[in-house]
Amino acid sequence: MPDTPPRPSVLFVCVHNAGRSQMAAAFLTHLAGDRVQVRSAGSAPAGTVNPAVVEALAEIGIDISAEVPKVLTVEAVRASDVVITMGCGDTCPVFPGKRYLDWRLPDPAGQGVDAVRPIRDEIERRVRALLDEIAPTPRA
């Protein structure tokens, strides 16, 4: 019986966990299915997910209306193979052996859906590239 490699785990972090990190987590979950464990969190979580972000994802068939911002914990970082920050500054704990990426993206906070769409599309592009790297689709 062949050994199955462990599922990679990815944590997306931004300040409020209401926009960029929610979009990135939704894309990775949508594209990877159960091949990747996905988490998102914020260093200072908002009360709700940005409505323009919910709308921009709904336009392409991804429903995050039930998501709620989550607080960043040391345990979430420790349990992740890849930690991707999006403007959380120095508040993200750093552990040896983890891979850290910083995605510099505009903050959708306070923006309408027209301003969120290009951010959404750039996040999708980056998530697809990350997925190809950490959990490529098995060849038949």
Side-chain angles (χ1 to χ4, degrees), residues 64-91:
I64 64 164
S65 59
E67 292 296 325
V68 293
K70 295 166 278 306
V71 68
L72 175 64
T73 64
V74 170
E75 292 76 25
V77 177
R78 191 176 284 134
S80 301
D81 299 312
V82 181
V83 179
I84 298 174
T85 58
M86 302 175 195
C88 76
D90 298 328
T91 60

PDB file of all heavy atoms in Angstrom, residues 64-91:
ATOM      1  N   ILE A  64     -19.226  32.667   0.593  1.00  0.00           N
ATOM      2  CA  ILE A  64     -18.588  32.764   1.909  1.00  0.00           C
ATOM      3  C   ILE A  64     -19.484  33.536   2.882  1.00  0.00           C
ATOM      4  O   ILE A  64     -19.013  34.026   3.907  1.00  0.00           O
ATOM      5  CB  ILE A  64     -17.180  33.406   1.843  1.00  0.00           C
ATOM      6  CG1 ILE A  64     -17.238  34.860   1.375  1.00  0.00           C
ATOM      7  CG2 ILE A  64     -16.237  32.575   0.996  1.00  0.00           C
ATOM      8  CD1 ILE A  64     -15.963  35.644   1.656  1.00  0.00           C
ATOM      9  N   SER A  65     -20.773  33.604   2.585  1.00  0.00           N
ATOM     10  CA  SER A  65     -21.689  34.395   3.410  1.00  0.00           C
ATOM     11  C   SER A  65     -21.771  33.888   4.849  1.00  0.00           C
ATOM     12  O   SER A  65     -22.118  34.652   5.755  1.00  0.00           O
ATOM     13  CB  SER A  65     -23.081  34.438   2.783  1.00  0.00           C
ATOM     14  OG  SER A  65     -23.598  33.121   2.652  1.00  0.00           O
ATOM     15  N   ALA A  66     -21.451  32.633   5.088  1.00  0.00           N
ATOM     16  CA  ALA A  66     -21.514  32.082   6.449  1.00  0.00           C
ATOM     17  C   ALA A  66     -20.194  32.223   7.208  1.00  0.00           C
ATOM     18  O   ALA A  66     -20.125  31.884   8.393  1.00  0.00           O
ATOM     19  CB  ALA A  66     -21.922  30.611   6.394  1.00  0.00           C
ATOM     20  N   GLU A  67     -19.138  32.711   6.540  1.00  0.00           N
ATOM     21  CA  GLU A  67     -17.832  32.833   7.206  1.00  0.00           C
ATOM     22  C   GLU A  67     -17.836  33.971   8.216  1.00  0.00           C
ATOM     23  O   GLU A  67     -18.538  34.966   8.042  1.00  0.00           O
ATOM     24  CB  GLU A  67     -16.727  33.080   6.167  1.00  0.00           C
ATOM     25  CG  GLU A  67     -16.454  31.898   5.263  1.00  0.00           C
ATOM     26  CD  GLU A  67     -15.926  30.681   6.007  1.00  0.00           C
ATOM     27  OE1 GLU A  67     -15.177  30.841   6.992  1.00  0.00           O
ATOM     28  OE2 GLU A  67     -16.269  29.562   5.601  1.00  0.00           O
ATOM     29  N   VAL A  68     -17.033  33.801   9.261  1.00  0.00           N
ATOM     30  CA  VAL A  68     -16.850  34.860  10.250  1.00  0.00           C
ATOM     31  C   VAL A  68     -15.357  35.061  10.473  1.00  0.00           C
ATOM     32  O   VAL A  68     -14.586  34.103  10.423  1.00  0.00           O
ATOM     33  CB  VAL A  68     -17.541  34.529  11.598  1.00  0.00           C
ATOM     34  CG1 VAL A  68     -19.042  34.501  11.448  1.00  0.00           C
ATOM     35  CG2 VAL A  68     -17.040  33.222  12.163  1.00  0.00           C
ATOM     36  N   PRO A  69     -14.928  36.300  10.690  1.00  0.00           N
ATOM     37  CA  PRO A  69     -13.513  36.550  10.977  1.00  0.00           C
ATOM     38  C   PRO A  69     -13.072  35.810  12.242  1.00  0.00           C
ATOM     39  O   PRO A  69     -13.820  35.719  13.220  1.00  0.00           O
ATOM     40  CB  PRO A  69     -13.458  38.069  11.154  1.00  0.00           C
ATOM     41  CG  PRO A  69     -14.606  38.572  10.324  1.00  0.00           C
ATOM     42  CD  PRO A  69     -15.688  37.546  10.522  1.00  0.00           C
ATOM     43  N   LYS A  70     -11.849  35.265  12.184  1.00  0.00           N
ATOM     44  CA  LYS A  70     -11.293  34.484  13.293  1.00  0.00           C
ATOM     45  C   LYS A  70     -10.010  35.138  13.779  1.00  0.00           C
ATOM     46  O   LYS A  70      -9.269  35.714  13.002  1.00  0.00           O
ATOM     47  CB  LYS A  70     -11.014  33.050  12.834  1.00  0.00           C
ATOM     48  CG  LYS A  70     -12.280  32.274  12.469  1.00  0.00           C
ATOM     49  CD  LYS A  70     -12.007  31.007  11.706  1.00  0.00           C
ATOM     50  CE  LYS A  70     -11.784  31.153  10.222  1.00  0.00           C
ATOM     51  NZ  LYS A  70     -12.773  31.822   9.431  1.00  0.00           N
ATOM     52  N   VAL A  71      -9.733  34.980  15.060  1.00  0.00           N
ATOM     53  CA  VAL A  71      -8.533  35.572  15.644  1.00  0.00           C
ATOM     54  C   VAL A  71      -7.326  34.681  15.345  1.00  0.00           C
ATOM     55  O   VAL A  71      -7.420  33.453  15.357  1.00  0.00           O
ATOM     56  CB  VAL A  71      -8.701  35.810  17.161  1.00  0.00           C
ATOM     57  CG1 VAL A  71      -8.769  34.507  17.939  1.00  0.00           C
ATOM     58  CG2 VAL A  71      -7.580  36.694  17.685  1.00  0.00           C
ATOM     59  N   LEU A  72      -6.212  35.328  15.050  1.00  0.00           N
ATOM     60  CA  LEU A  72      -4.962  34.621  14.805  1.00  0.00           C
ATOM     61  C   LEU A  72      -4.453  34.032  16.119  1.00  0.00           C
ATOM     62  O   LEU A  72      -4.343  34.739  17.113  1.00  0.00           O
ATOM     63  CB  LEU A  72      -3.923  35.593  14.236  1.00  0.00           C
ATOM     64  CG  LEU A  72      -2.522  35.039  14.027  1.00  0.00           C
ATOM     65  CD1 LEU A  72      -2.535  33.938  12.984  1.00  0.00           C
ATOM     66  CD2 LEU A  72      -1.581  36.158  13.620  1.00  0.00           C
ATOM     67  N   THR A  73      -4.147  32.734  16.096  1.00  0.00           N
ATOM     68  CA  THR A  73      -3.602  32.080  17.292  1.00  0.00           C
ATOM     69  C   THR A  73      -2.235  31.483  16.979  1.00  0.00           C
ATOM     70  O   THR A  73      -1.942  31.151  15.827  1.00  0.00           O
ATOM     71  CB  THR A  73      -4.518  30.951  17.790  1.00  0.00           C
ATOM     72  OG1 THR A  73      -4.580  29.925  16.790  1.00  0.00           O
ATOM     73  CG2 THR A  73      -5.930  31.461  18.099  1.00  0.00           C
ATOM     74  N   VAL A  74      -1.441  31.343  18.006  1.00  0.00           N
ATOM     75  CA  VAL A  74      -0.143  30.684  17.867  1.00  0.00           C
ATOM     76  C   VAL A  74      -0.348  29.255  17.368  1.00  0.00           C
ATOM     77  O   VAL A  74       0.409  28.753  16.533  1.00  0.00           O
ATOM     78  CB  VAL A  74       0.612  30.719  19.216  1.00  0.00           C
ATOM     79  CG1 VAL A  74       1.843  29.836  19.179  1.00  0.00           C
ATOM     80  CG2 VAL A  74       0.983  32.148  19.566  1.00  0.00           C
ATOM     81  N   GLU A  75      -1.394  28.598  17.854  1.00  0.00           N
ATOM     82  CA  GLU A  75      -1.664  27.211  17.449  1.00  0.00           C
ATOM     83  C   GLU A  75      -1.926  27.109  15.946  1.00  0.00           C
ATOM     84  O   GLU A  75      -1.484  26.161  15.304  1.00  0.00           O
ATOM     85  CB  GLU A  75      -2.864  26.648  18.229  1.00  0.00           C
ATOM     86  CG  GLU A  75      -2.615  26.450  19.700  1.00  0.00           C
ATOM     87  CD  GLU A  75      -2.625  27.756  20.514  1.00  0.00           C
ATOM     88  OE1 GLU A  75      -3.269  28.744  20.085  1.00  0.00           O
ATOM     89  OE2 GLU A  75      -1.960  27.790  21.572  1.00  0.00           O
ATOM     90  N   ALA A  76      -2.667  28.072  15.385  1.00  0.00           N
ATOM     91  CA  ALA A  76      -2.952  28.047  13.947  1.00  0.00           C
ATOM     92  C   ALA A  76      -1.671  28.172  13.142  1.00  0.00           C
ATOM     93  O   ALA A  76      -1.483  27.488  12.131  1.00  0.00           O
ATOM     94  CB  ALA A  76      -3.927  29.154  13.577  1.00  0.00           C
ATOM     95  N   VAL A  77      -0.758  29.034  13.581  1.00  0.00           N
ATOM     96  CA  VAL A  77       0.520  29.186  12.883  1.00  0.00           C
ATOM     97  C   VAL A  77       1.340  27.911  13.022  1.00  0.00           C
ATOM     98  O   VAL A  77       1.880  27.396  12.046  1.00  0.00           O
ATOM     99  CB  VAL A  77       1.308  30.405  13.415  1.00  0.00           C
ATOM    100  CG1 VAL A  77       2.664  30.504  12.744  1.00  0.00           C
ATOM    101  CG2 VAL A  77       0.519  31.690  13.207  1.00  0.00           C
ATOM    102  N   ARG A  78       1.406  27.394  14.221  1.00  0.00           N
ATOM    103  CA  ARG A  78       2.201  26.189  14.484  1.00  0.00           C
ATOM    104  C   ARG A  78       1.698  25.000  13.652  1.00  0.00           C
ATOM    105  O   ARG A  78       2.483  24.171  13.214  1.00  0.00           O
ATOM    106  CB  ARG A  78       2.148  25.861  15.978  1.00  0.00           C
ATOM    107  CG  ARG A  78       3.142  24.799  16.396  1.00  0.00           C
ATOM    108  CD  ARG A  78       3.137  24.574  17.902  1.00  0.00           C
ATOM    109  NE  ARG A  78       3.848  25.659  18.574  1.00  0.00           N
ATOM    110  CZ  ARG A  78       3.408  26.304  19.645  1.00  0.00           C
ATOM    111  NH1 ARG A  78       2.254  26.012  20.179  1.00  0.00           N
ATOM    112  NH2 ARG A  78       4.136  27.250  20.189  1.00  0.00           N
ATOM    113  N   ALA A  79       0.390  24.923  13.419  1.00  0.00           N
ATOM    114  CA  ALA A  79      -0.207  23.792  12.705  1.00  0.00           C
ATOM    115  C   ALA A  79      -0.130  23.936  11.187  1.00  0.00           C
ATOM    116  O   ALA A  79      -0.566  23.044  10.462  1.00  0.00           O
ATOM    117  CB  ALA A  79      -1.663  23.631  13.137  1.00  0.00           C
ATOM    118  N   SER A  80       0.425  25.025  10.685  1.00  0.00           N
ATOM    119  CA  SER A  80       0.434  25.290   9.242  1.00  0.00           C
ATOM    120  C   SER A  80       1.830  25.115   8.652  1.00  0.00           C
ATOM    121  O   SER A  80       2.823  25.437   9.286  1.00  0.00           O
ATOM    122  CB  SER A  80      -0.056  26.717   8.977  1.00  0.00           C
ATOM    123  OG  SER A  80      -1.366  26.873   9.485  1.00  0.00           O
ATOM    124  N   ASP A  81       1.866  24.584   7.430  1.00  0.00           N
ATOM    125  CA  ASP A  81       3.127  24.436   6.701  1.00  0.00           C
ATOM    126  C   ASP A  81       3.528  25.743   6.024  1.00  0.00           C
ATOM    127  O   ASP A  81       4.702  26.090   5.957  1.00  0.00           O
ATOM    128  CB  ASP A  81       2.993  23.345   5.626  1.00  0.00           C
ATOM    129  CG  ASP A  81       2.673  21.997   6.220  1.00  0.00           C
ATOM    130  OD1 ASP A  81       3.338  21.590   7.188  1.00  0.00           O
ATOM    131  OD2 ASP A  81       1.739  21.342   5.717  1.00  0.00           O
ATOM    132  N   VAL A  82       2.527  26.438   5.490  1.00  0.00           N
ATOM    133  CA  VAL A  82       2.759  27.694   4.778  1.00  0.00           C
ATOM    134  C   VAL A  82       1.887  28.766   5.423  1.00  0.00           C
ATOM    135  O   VAL A  82       0.692  28.559   5.635  1.00  0.00           O
ATOM    136  CB  VAL A  82       2.395  27.575   3.276  1.00  0.00           C
ATOM    137  CG1 VAL A  82       2.656  28.888   2.543  1.00  0.00           C
ATOM    138  CG2 VAL A  82       3.161  26.430   2.622  1.00  0.00           C
ATOM    139  N   VAL A  83       2.495  29.893   5.765  1.00  0.00           N
ATOM    140  CA  VAL A  83       1.772  31.026   6.342  1.00  0.00           C
ATOM    141  C   VAL A  83       1.904  32.190   5.367  1.00  0.00           C
ATOM    142  O   VAL A  83       3.020  32.616   5.052  1.00  0.00           O
ATOM    143  CB  VAL A  83       2.341  31.406   7.726  1.00  0.00           C
ATOM    144  CG1 VAL A  83       1.591  32.612   8.293  1.00  0.00           C
ATOM    145  CG2 VAL A  83       2.276  30.222   8.685  1.00  0.00           C
ATOM    146  N   ILE A  84       0.764  32.675   4.886  1.00  0.00           N
ATOM    147  CA  ILE A  84       0.766  33.765   3.919  1.00  0.00           C
ATOM    148  C   ILE A  84       0.142  34.983   4.572  1.00  0.00           C
ATOM    149  O   ILE A  84      -1.025  34.967   4.957  1.00  0.00           O
ATOM    150  CB  ILE A  84       0.005  33.377   2.641  1.00  0.00           C
ATOM    151  CG1 ILE A  84       0.713  32.181   1.988  1.00  0.00           C
ATOM    152  CG2 ILE A  84      -0.081  34.573   1.686  1.00  0.00           C
ATOM    153  CD1 ILE A  84       0.003  31.608   0.804  1.00  0.00           C
ATOM    154  N   THR A  85       0.960  36.026   4.729  1.00  0.00           N
ATOM    155  CA  THR A  85       0.479  37.259   5.337  1.00  0.00           C
ATOM    156  C   THR A  85       0.100  38.249   4.248  1.00  0.00           C
ATOM    157  O   THR A  85       0.682  38.258   3.157  1.00  0.00           O
ATOM    158  CB  THR A  85       1.547  37.871   6.264  1.00  0.00           C
ATOM    159  OG1 THR A  85       2.742  38.108   5.516  1.00  0.00           O
ATOM    160  CG2 THR A  85       1.843  36.953   7.437  1.00  0.00           C
ATOM    161  N   MET A  86      -0.878  39.063   4.572  1.00  0.00           N
ATOM    162  CA  MET A  86      -1.369  40.076   3.640  1.00  0.00           C
ATOM    163  C   MET A  86      -1.575  41.354   4.416  1.00  0.00           C
ATOM    164  O   MET A  86      -2.693  41.733   4.717  1.00  0.00           O
ATOM    165  CB  MET A  86      -2.681  39.614   3.021  1.00  0.00           C
ATOM    166  CG  MET A  86      -2.588  38.306   2.306  1.00  0.00           C
ATOM    167  SD  MET A  86      -4.220  37.795   1.762  1.00  0.00           S
ATOM    168  CE  MET A  86      -3.891  36.104   1.377  1.00  0.00           C
ATOM    169  N   GLY A  87      -0.487  41.962   4.825  1.00  0.00           N
ATOM    170  CA  GLY A  87      -0.596  43.229   5.520  1.00  0.00           C
ATOM    171  C   GLY A  87      -0.845  43.108   7.008  1.00  0.00           C
ATOM    172  O   GLY A  87      -1.446  43.990   7.598  1.00  0.00           O
ATOM    173  N   CYS A  88      -0.396  42.021   7.656  1.00  0.00           N
ATOM    174  CA  CYS A  88      -0.594  41.934   9.109  1.00  0.00           C
ATOM    175  C   CYS A  88       0.631  42.436   9.855  1.00  0.00           C
ATOM    176  O   CYS A  88       0.687  42.398  11.077  1.00  0.00           O
ATOM    177  CB  CYS A  88      -0.981  40.529   9.560  1.00  0.00           C
ATOM    178  SG  CYS A  88       0.340  39.322   9.619  1.00  0.00           S
ATOM    179  N   GLY A  89       1.627  42.905   9.131  1.00  0.00           N
ATOM    180  CA  GLY A  89       2.801  43.491   9.766  1.00  0.00           C
ATOM    181  C   GLY A  89       3.581  42.485  10.595  1.00  0.00           C
ATOM    182  O   GLY A  89       3.742  41.339  10.197  1.00  0.00           O
ATOM    183  N   ASP A  90       4.046  42.915  11.750  1.00  0.00           N
ATOM    184  CA  ASP A  90       4.887  42.073  12.593  1.00  0.00           C
ATOM    185  C   ASP A  90       4.097  41.285  13.618  1.00  0.00           C
ATOM    186  O   ASP A  90       4.670  40.700  14.519  1.00  0.00           O
ATOM    187  CB  ASP A  90       5.913  42.946  13.330  1.00  0.00           C
ATOM    188  CG  ASP A  90       6.829  43.659  12.365  1.00  0.00           C
ATOM    189  OD1 ASP A  90       7.110  43.086  11.297  1.00  0.00           O
ATOM    190  OD2 ASP A  90       7.251  44.788  12.676  1.00  0.00           O
ATOM    191  N   THR A  91       2.773  41.264  13.507  1.00  0.00           N
ATOM    192  CA  THR A  91       1.965  40.610  14.533  1.00  0.00           C
ATOM    193  C   THR A  91       1.878  39.106  14.356  1.00  0.00           C
ATOM    194  O   THR A  91       1.375  38.418  15.218  1.00  0.00           O
ATOM    195  CB  THR A  91       0.531  41.180  14.554  1.00  0.00           C
ATOM    196  OG1 THR A  91      -0.059  40.956  13.279  1.00  0.00           O
ATOM    197  CG2 THR A  91       0.535  42.654  14.877  1.00  0.00           C
TER     198      THR A  91
END
